[in-house]
């Protein structure tokens, strides 16, 4: 419990900054919704001059930008991206913190088994992600509602938003796993950016090529916003794959961290 | 009862040598020295005892419990002071000490204040603003606040001024008087000499000797310095039992181990200007020891 609350204290500020930045992102880009939805034909005629592969890669073909949730869904691709970088960064930094800041000689000589340290730290990430998602969902609901005449399709809205949490869990697990696998991590953010963008690019190629095999290796395809809007639901097999991957990576994290030699100062 | 029992502990970092077949045991209530030059394997041994790293071969027991299987239980009663201390940023001294205390049961809350007062440590400053020596003091308070039964010190005095070193030694001696066992690693022999009863000497990853300090120092060696008033052969004093013979103009200095009358006979009848006979410092014995082994 003490490790958990200490971790929360150390990570709270960062969680708030990242949440604020995605809220700001939605707020700013929703300003563009009214003019775009009015002239959607014009925009679509411009877009139709783009090669179809590029349009697909950018997610422009399947989302209806004249609808508020379609537009939000388009923005959400980038919210997923930012949120994933945050989750990955949290995952990488939480267990490598003691090695990077050389505080292993403090925490790891305390009378706690290493598994308990891992659990407390994972729990702190989980709490941060839950709080972030609740905050974000609540604020963006208010923002989006203000652009709707009549009632917002709440079910679709929640399904879109919950995909953020699930993609974040994927990247947090990847981050945890990498952080125990790599001997000494010096910088966290560049690694996080690199890995998240790699998965994002795979999704762009996947959309552009319509290759169903590629979809299995990137969580951005597991939670394809346009399909969520179309089906008002998730693809069950992808949902399960995501859970299995998270489970395996977390288990490996426990095992490797338990056996890891902590490098000296 | 042995508080620490190390049996053929071996650690390789990949192919690089850490320690090889290290064995020694520390009695309850003892202050046990652990000396050797940098890179000899002192920290590797200590870090293995604390389960920060895992042995390649061999085993060790503390409080008669296995260091790997029962590591977290053992650590309830261990206070550890590493050679360099680092703490999380953006915390006050008191925060880090309270965080540290939260890991142990039955903590005497007054002890933080008492220890901080002895070590002259300001509890309400930020860790980031502390000097190296002050951080070290935080480490000392942090390592002792739960009244550990075993105190493990890894080169503890670096960064402390002589006054603080003395206070620190007094503190350790008091803990020892109250029943704590101490494992004291250092490459500074005079510290070890002051505190320890026995010492294990490690070199290139292997224990080369375990000595009783008083025996090592007092019973065996005498340090001679003789300023000769008449010329003698360079080898004149090089009899059996003499080591580190150095001639500087007319002054001969050396360590001698053996019957002191033999040396008196050598001097008898010669004209000498000055004669000093004293107990060598452990440093000198040790250097001789190391040279012989090398």
């Amino acid at each position: 419990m003490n490790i958990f609350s200490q971790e929360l204290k150390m990570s709270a500020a960062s969680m708030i900054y990242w949440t604020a930045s995605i809220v700001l992102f939605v707020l700013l880009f929703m300003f563009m919704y009214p003019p775009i939805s009015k002239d959607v034909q014009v925009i679509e005629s411009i877009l139709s001059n783009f090669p179809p592969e590029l349009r697909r890669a950018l997610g422009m073909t399947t989302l209806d930008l004249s609808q508020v949730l379609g537009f939000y869904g388009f923005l959400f691709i980038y919210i997923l991206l930012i949120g994933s970088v945050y989750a990955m960064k949290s995952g990488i930094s939480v267990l490598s913190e003691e090695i990077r800041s050389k505080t292993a000689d403090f925490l790891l000589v305390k009378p706690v088994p290493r598994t308990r340290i891992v659990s407390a730290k994972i729990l702190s990430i989980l709490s941060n992600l839950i709080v972030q998602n609740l905050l974000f969902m609540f604020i963006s609901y208010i923002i989006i509602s203000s652009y709707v005449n009549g009632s917002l399709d709440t079910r679709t809205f929640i399904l879109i938003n919950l995909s953020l949490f699930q993609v974040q869990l994927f990247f947090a697990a990847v981050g945890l796993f990498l952080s125990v696998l790599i001997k000494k991590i010096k910088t966290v953010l560049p690694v996080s950016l690199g890995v998240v963008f790699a998965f994002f690019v795979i999704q762009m190629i996947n959309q552009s090529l319509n290759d169903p095999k590629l979809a299995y290796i990137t969580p951005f395809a597991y939670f394809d916003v346009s399909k969520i809007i179309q089906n008002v639901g998730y693809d069950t097999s992808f949902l399960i794959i995501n859970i299995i991957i998270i489970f395996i990576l977390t288990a490996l994290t426990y095992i490797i961290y338990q056996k890891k030699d902590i490098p000296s100062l | 009862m042995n508080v620490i029992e190390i049996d053929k502990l071996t650690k390789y970092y990949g192919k690089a040598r850490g320690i090889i077949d290290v064995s020694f045991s520390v009695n309850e209530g003892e202050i046990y020295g652990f000396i050797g030059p940098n890179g000899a394997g002192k920290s590797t041994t200590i870090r293995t005892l604390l389960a920060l790293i895992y042995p390649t071969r061999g085993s060790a027991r503390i409080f008669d419990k296995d260091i790997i299987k029962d590591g977290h239980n053992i650590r309830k009663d261990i206070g550890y002071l590493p050679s360099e201390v680092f703490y999380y940023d953006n915390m006050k001294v008191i925060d880090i000490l309270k965080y540290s205390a939260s890991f142990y049961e039955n903590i005497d809350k007054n002890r933080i204040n008492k220890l901080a007062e002895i070590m002259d440590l300001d509890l309400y400053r930020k860790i980031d603003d502390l000097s190296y020596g002050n951080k070290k003091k935080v480490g000392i308070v942090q390592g002792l606040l739960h009244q550990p039964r075993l105190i493990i010190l890894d080169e503890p005095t670096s960064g402390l001024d002589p006054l603080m070193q003395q206070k620190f030694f007094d503190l350790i001696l008091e803990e020892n008087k109250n029943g704590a066992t101490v494992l004291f690693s250092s490459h500074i022999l005079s510290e070890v000499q002051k505190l320890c009863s026995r010492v294990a000497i490690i070199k290139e990853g292997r224990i080369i000797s375990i000595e009783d300090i008083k025996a090592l120092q007092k019973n065996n060696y005498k340090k001679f310095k003789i300023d000769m008033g008449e010329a003698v052969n360079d080898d004149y004093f090089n009899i059996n039992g003499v080591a580190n013979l150095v001639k500087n103009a007319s002054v001969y200095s050396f360590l001698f181990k053996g019957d002191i009358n033999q040396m008196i006979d050598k001097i008898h009848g010669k004209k000498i200007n000055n004669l000093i006979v004293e107990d060598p410092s452990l440093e000198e014995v040790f250097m001789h020891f190391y040279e012989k082994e090398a």
Side-chain angles (χ1 to χ4, degrees):
Chain A
M1 202 53 199
N2 49 357
I3 302 176
F4 172 72
S5 49
Q6 172 67 19
E7 289 297 328
L8 280 191
K9 265 186 230 161
M10 293 197 295
S11 58
S14 154
M15 186 273 284
I16 296 293
Y17 294 144
W18 283 82
T19 312
S21 69
I22 49 176
V23 166
L24 210 65
F25 178 84
V26 172
L27 196 65
L28 286 178
F29 280 87
M30 283 311 285
F31 283 139
M32 288 157 57
Y33 169 65
I36 286 180
S37 67
K38 230 179 277 165
D39 297 324
V40 80
Q41 277 88 4
V42 182
I43 289 168
E44 271 178 2
S45 69
I46 297 170
L47 285 176
S48 65
N49 294 326
F50 286 18
E53 289 83 7
L54 180 65
R55 267 158 47 210
R56 284 207 299 270
L58 295 173
M60 292 285 194
T61 50
T62 44
L63 290 164
D64 181 358
L65 297 184
S66 67
Q67 296 293 311
V68 73
L69 279 180
F71 191 81
Y72 182 61
F74 178 68
L75 295 187
F76 209 83
I77 295 170
Y78 301 95
I79 290 165
L80 281 177
L81 190 63
I82 304 169
S84 300
V85 172
Y86 168 72
M88 175 99 188
K89 178 202 82 95
S90 305
I92 289 194
S93 61
V94 79
L95 281 175
S96 63
E97 163 73 28
E98 274 65 35
I99 294 168
R100 280 178 298 114
S101 69
K102 303 177 179 176
T103 46
D105 283 20
F106 174 84
L107 185 62
L108 275 81
V109 303
K110 294 284 180 268
V112 282
R114 288 196 190 177
T115 46
R116 208 183 301 162
I117 295 177
V118 177
S119 301
K121 286 178 174 248
I122 289 180
L123 221 56
S124 79
I125 294 186
L126 216 55
S127 316
N128 274 328
L129 290 181
I130 290 171
V131 172
Q132 175 172 67
N133 276 274
L134 288 177
L135 275 177
F136 174 67
M137 209 190 297
F138 179 70
I139 299 171
S140 68
Y141 187 81
I142 295 172
I143 297 172
I144 305 303
S145 301
S146 70
Y147 288 95
V148 192
N149 306 317
S151 70
L152 181 65
D153 177 357
T154 313
R155 188 181 157 80
T156 308
F157 175 81
I158 290 176
L159 283 172
I160 293 173
N161 272 279
L162 278 183
S163 69
L164 173 64
F165 183 61
Q166 296 175 81
V167 172
Q168 282 184 316
L169 288 184
F170 176 93
F171 282 105
V174 173
L176 284 167
F177 175 66
L178 284 183
S179 80
V180 293
L181 200 64
I182 300 171
K183 257 199 174 151
K184 253 185 175 172
I185 291 176
K186 295 220 171 74
T187 48
V188 170
L189 205 54
V191 183
S192 314
L193 284 170
V195 173
V196 173
F197 275 106
F199 280 105
F200 192 72
V201 168
I202 293 173
Q203 165 65 354
M204 287 172 89
I205 296 169
N206 166 43
Q207 283 178 318
S208 157
L209 298 181
N210 279 330
D211 181 348
K213 268 178 248 144
L214 272 178
Y216 285 97
I217 52 176
T218 171
F220 293 112
Y222 304 168
F223 299 95
D224 185 331
V225 181
S226 61
K227 284 182 190 146
I228 295 172
I229 294 174
Q230 259 170 34
N231 307 331
V232 198
Y234 300 127
D235 182 322
T236 318
S237 57
F238 281 140
L239 205 66
I240 292 169
I241 289 174
N242 193 45
I243 291 169
I244 291 174
I245 291 175
I246 292 165
F247 183 79
I248 291 174
L249 290 178
T250 309
L252 287 173
T253 300
Y254 272 98
I255 294 167
I256 298 171
Y257 193 72
Q258 177 67 23
K259 294 187 173 162
K260 187 170 174 146
D261 277 350
I262 304 300
S264 73
L265 312 175
Chain B
M1 189 193 116
N2 288 333
V3 168
I4 303 178
E5 260 184 62
I6 305 177
D7 184 26
K8 292 193 183 135
L9 204 60
T10 300
K11 175 67 184 176
Y12 280 91
Y13 300 101
K15 277 184 183 161
R17 181 271 302 162
I19 48 173
I20 302 164
D21 289 336
V22 165
S23 300
F24 63 87
S25 46
V26 179
N27 298 330
E28 184 163 18
E30 188 175 21
I31 302 185
Y32 196 93
F34 191 33
I35 48 182
N38 294 328
K42 299 189 297 292
S43 291
T44 298
T45 308
I46 287 176
R47 294 173 67 80
T48 312
L49 290 178
L50 292 163
L52 284 165
I53 53 179
Y54 291 102
T56 313
R57 278 197 310 274
S59 65
R61 298 177 76 77
I62 294 178
F63 308 129
D64 208 26
K65 289 177 189 148
D66 187 79
I67 50 164
I68 309 294
K69 266 191 288 180
D70 271 323
H72 64 282
N73 281 324
I74 292 170
R75 293 197 295 269
K76 281 179 193 165
D77 289 311
I78 295 184
Y80 168 54
L81 178 60
S83 52
E84 283 183 86
V85 285
F86 292 93
Y87 292 112
Y88 303 102
D89 291 340
N90 292 319
M91 283 177 88
K92 288 196 179 120
V93 174
I94 186 76
D95 297 333
I96 202 87
L97 292 176
K98 279 187 174 159
Y99 182 40
S100 183
S102 71
F103 285 92
Y104 304 95
E105 293 154 22
N106 305 324
I107 286 274
D108 175 5
K109 298 274 189 237
N110 289 326
R111 216 172 134 80
I112 292 181
N113 294 321
K114 212 172 6 176
L115 288 169
E117 201 175 309
I118 295 172
M119 294 313 295
D120 193 17
L121 175 66
D122 183 351
L123 289 173
Y124 295 93
R125 284 181 64 184
K126 281 210 154 188
I127 293 279
D128 311 9
D129 301 337
L130 294 183
S131 67
Y132 181 67
N134 275 322
K135 274 189 194 158
K136 198 92 192 192
K137 292 181 192 172
V138 180
I140 294 168
V141 177
Q142 196 256 123
L144 297 179
L145 64 81
H146 54 292
Q147 292 179 287
R149 282 163 60 203
L150 171 62
I151 301 171
I152 296 181
L153 307 166
D154 191 0
E155 312 251 354
T157 52
S158 58
L160 291 179
D161 60 52
L163 187 71
M164 275 304 145
Q165 283 191 18
Q166 195 49 53
K167 282 185 174 175
F168 170 66
F169 287 144
D170 291 344
L171 204 57
I172 294 298
L173 284 171
E174 200 187 310
E175 290 299 311
N176 178 244
K177 219 183 285 168
N178 293 333
T181 308
V182 182
L183 177 63
F184 186 138
S185 140
S186 178
H187 65 274
I188 304 164
L189 290 142
S190 55
E191 303 185 332
V192 174
Q193 189 174 357
K194 247 191 268 181
L195 289 175
C196 302
S197 49
R198 285 195 301 159
V199 59
I201 301 165
I202 188 168
K203 183 187 179 187
E204 286 166 10
R206 290 175 193 274
I207 300 287
I208 51 171
S209 173
I210 292 170
E211 303 274 342
D212 191 280
I213 289 224
K214 293 208 174 66
L216 189 68
Q217 192 181 352
K218 287 222 169 99
N219 304 341
N220 291 344
Y221 290 94
K222 289 288 170 198
K223 182 181 163 190
F224 278 80
K225 205 171 188 181
I226 308 166
D227 187 355
M228 295 301 294
E230 60 180 279
V232 291
N233 255 338
D234 279 3
D235 291 348
Y236 184 73
F237 291 104
N238 200 4
I239 61 172
N240 204 7
V242 165
N244 295 14
L245 178 61
V246 176
K247 185 193 177 213
N248 194 353
S250 64
V251 180
Y252 294 78
S253 48
F254 52 86
L255 293 173
F256 177 64
K257 179 186 181 183
D259 183 358
I260 197 112
N261 288 303
Q262 262 185 302
M263 199 48 72
I264 302 297
D265 285 346
K266 292 294 279 187
I267 303 166
H268 182 72
K270 300 280 178 195
K271 183 176 166 35
I272 56 174
N273 295 331
N274 197 2
L275 168 65
I276 301 168
V277 184
E278 60 184 353
D279 285 335
S281 72
L282 196 56
E283 204 103 26
E284 287 158 311
V285 177
F286 187 68
M287 283 316 290
H288 161 59
F289 199 86
Y290 251 114
E291 279 158 18
K292 196 173 65 187
E293 288 290 319

